[in-house]
Amino acid sequence: MGPLLMGARPATAQGSTSTSASTSLAERARATTSRATLFTRSSSMRVFVAGGTGHSGSYIIPELIAAGHEVTGLARSDTAAAAVSALGAKVRRGDLEDLDGLMEAAADSDGVIHVAHRQDLLPLGGMDAVSAAELPVMLAYGEALAGTGKPLVAAGSIGSSGKLGRPATEEDPALPVGDEHKGTLRVRNVVETAVIDLAERGVRSSVVRIANIMHSTADAGFLAMLIALAKDKGFAGYPGDGANLWNAVHVRDAASLFRLALEKGPAGRFWHAVEDGGIPFREIAEAIGSRLGLPAVSIPADELMVPGYFGLLANIVTQSYPASNLITRRTLGWEPAQPGLLADLDNGHYFPAS
């Protein structure tokens, strides 16, 4: 069990419903429990997606619709609403601060996929603020779905189980979080733990741990940042000998895993959205350099040189994140079908012709 108050109701000051309202929502959710628990892969579900206009969400919605599900996406602006509609989903206006609205949306659905984060909080509060805002959202979903057996699938990080000296597996729990972890990525582990804990309240909850690099033609994440650094510095850097292992997944394969977890994933489980389970960082740098016509250069692994090249990414790029997907594949029948990371570097997005 994690360091969370399991079953705690989001505080009223944060915008949650009253006890009676929560009970009403829970009853509404339980009214369709039999429908939610009888789904097979060919059955149609009413799915609520939060974060549907982000990188992963914009692939998850079409994946769900192609499988025959009816999707409603959260939209906090006219622009987001138009994007959700363009993906083929219904629109529910609201935001992550409206806990009442999120509970209602969850209760009215057959399942929830959550891949949204308060990115606006990062500049001032960092990951601590982002996690603090996301935790009551998960507890709100728990209130709405408790006792129904309906699925809640949330995004997690492949690094949440920490340094193990071996490839991380789906059976490794998220590391506990203490005061000493403030300001680090580890603080979000409380969110993953909260989702897993909801299984004890009758929610078919699970976490999809996403690889360090989720690549696609729409990628603006770590890989795009590494390419931008190489262009700026005039060479593709890697820390030390570059033997530390990174992992990757194509966003389309990640989207299919979210669908499978929603449709048939058992409760209280972690899943690994990982295709390439361990690529030496040096090989990634060499691949970037070769495509840019730049050399790949070792950055001495000390407290000055690595931050001097990688900046805010320094603490991340020096870590090793080997991971296995065996349990995910065996349990859910997930089989990545898209190009691996190094092959996908040749698509036109990462290195467009000048």
Side-chain angles (χ1 to χ4, degrees):
M1 305 306 297
L4 302 168
L5 296 177
M6 197 175 69
R9 189 174 282 109
T12 302
Q14 294 174 310
S16 69
T17 61
S18 64
T19 301
S20 60
S22 297
T23 302
S24 175
L25 287 168
E27 289 174 347
R28 185 187 309 174
R30 282 191 286 272
T32 55
T33 298
S34 60
R35 173 184 162 102
T37 55
L38 290 176
F39 285 116
T40 64
R41 184 160 184 221
S42 61
S43 301
S44 175
M45 299 175 68
R46 293 174 293 113
V47 186
F48 174 63
V49 176
T53 59
H55 185 203
S56 59
S58 61
Y59 285 85
I60 289 170
I61 287 179
E63 172 76 19
L64 293 170
I65 292 174
H69 301 305
E70 178 184 302
V71 182
T72 297
L74 183 68
R76 62 185 176 87
S77 67
D78 291 342
T79 301
V84 169
S85 293
L87 291 171
K90 296 180 179 179
V91 175
R92 182 182 180 94
R93 293 301 295 262
D95 56 46
L96 297 179
E97 297 175 86
D98 179 14
L99 298 184
D100 291 356
L102 294 176
M103 291 176 70
E104 184 175 289
D108 286 341
S109 72
D110 298 316
V112 175
I113 290 180
H114 182 93
V115 289
H117 311 290
R118 288 286 306 278
Q119 301 286 352
D120 59 301
L121 298 176
L122 278 173
L124 295 178
M127 189 54 66
D128 300 79
V130 174
S131 301
E134 194 174 2
L135 182 56
V137 172
M138 299 305 165
L139 297 178
Y141 289 145
E143 287 290 341
L145 301 178
T148 67
K150 293 181 181 181
L152 165 64
V153 185
S157 170
I158 201 65
S160 66
S161 53
K163 301 177 184 178
L164 302 169
R166 57 166 174 78
T169 78
E170 297 87 337
E171 294 181 340
D172 294 315
L175 291 171
V177 177
D179 290 341
E180 67 273 24
H181 302 120
K182 289 182 178 179
T184 71
L185 293 174
R186 184 162 161 178
V187 297
R188 194 180 174 275
N189 284 8
V190 298
V191 178
E192 294 190 25
T193 303
V195 174
I196 296 301
D197 285 352
L198 289 175
E200 295 191 9
R201 301 188 61 203
V203 182
R204 187 159 59 83
S205 59
S206 64
V207 171
V208 173
R209 288 170 168 164
I210 299 175
N212 299 72
I213 295 175
M214 184 164 58
H215 51 100
S216 76
T217 55
D219 179 19
F222 283 133
L223 186 56
M225 295 169 73
L226 293 175
I227 293 170
L229 274 175
K231 291 178 179 179
D232 180 59
K233 304 291 186 178
F235 61 93
Y238 56 88
D241 63 5
N244 57 309
L245 302 177
W246 269 41
N247 51 70
V249 69
H250 194 283
V251 70
R252 291 188 185 277
D253 287 323
S256 71
L257 178 52
F258 274 93
R259 174 181 59 78
L260 289 169
L262 178 91
E263 292 174 343
K264 59 182 181 179
R269 301 287 293 273
F270 289 102
W271 312 113
H272 281 186
V274 172
E275 179 179 10
D276 297 304
I279 306 174
F281 197 99
R282 181 184 63 256
E283 291 186 14
I284 298 174
E286 290 171 345
I288 291 172
S290 69
R291 287 159 176 80
L292 291 175
L294 298 173
V297 177
S298 170
I299 308 296
D302 64 37
E303 60 184 12
L304 295 178
M305 297 297 288
V306 171
Y309 180 91
F310 290 104
L312 296 176
L313 298 180
N315 290 332
I316 301 174
V317 299
T318 56
Q319 304 301 313
S320 194
Y321 306 90
S324 168
N325 64 15
L326 183 59
I327 294 174
T328 298
R329 293 169 62 183
R330 285 179 173 176
T331 307
L332 300 180
W334 180 62
E335 289 297 335
Q338 301 300 317
L341 172 63
L342 299 182
D344 203 29
L345 280 171
D346 286 328
N347 77 42
H349 171 72
Y350 289 110
F351 305 98
S354 58

